[in-house]
Amino acid sequence: MLQPLRTACGHALHLNSGYRCAKLNKAVKGAKNSQHTKGQAADIAASDPLALAKLVIELNLPFDQMILYGDFVHISHKAAGPQRGQILYDESYKGQKLTEQ
């Protein structure tokens, strides 16, 4: 799902984090069952996380989880099975929520 998002943005996406081995995930205090450890998640830098999240929704990209942070968006996509389409907000995110549109 990253390439269609990149194409729609019209520029390269800056990934803060993608796949993490268990040791790195532990070092960065990632969730024990993080989708990063399965290669199913990416953290994408965003000066406007809401705009990036809106683009994901507008493009109807299938995602399991999307978490808006203060300066990036975490997007995961399960390799198999249904995607939850879950949208969450980290405490560092202070902007408008998608449900408030």
Side-chain angles (χ1 to χ4, degrees), residues 33-77:
N33 60 344
S34 173
Q35 286 176 285
H36 284 282
T37 63
K38 300 171 188 167
Q40 298 178 355
D43 296 339
I44 305 167
S47 58
D48 185 350
L50 182 64
L52 185 62
K54 284 181 177 179
L55 185 56
V56 169
I57 300 295
E58 178 184 313
L59 295 170
N60 200 31
L61 295 175
F63 63 92
D64 187 52
Q65 193 175 62
M66 182 163 53
I67 307 172
L68 284 74
Y69 288 80
D71 59 357
F72 70 94
V73 178
H74 165 95
I75 300 177
S76 65
H77 179 89

Side-chain angles (χ1 to χ4, degrees), residues 5 8 10 86 97:
L5 183 58
Q86 183 180 43
K97 295 186 177 180

Side-chain angles (χ1 to χ4, degrees), residues 81-99:
Q83 308 299 322
R84 293 178 288 177
Q86 183 180 43
I87 300 171
L88 302 169
Y89 303 89
D90 181 75
E91 63 185 32
S92 66
Y93 179 75
K94 305 296 182 196
Q96 180 184 18
K97 295 186 177 180
L98 287 167
T99 56

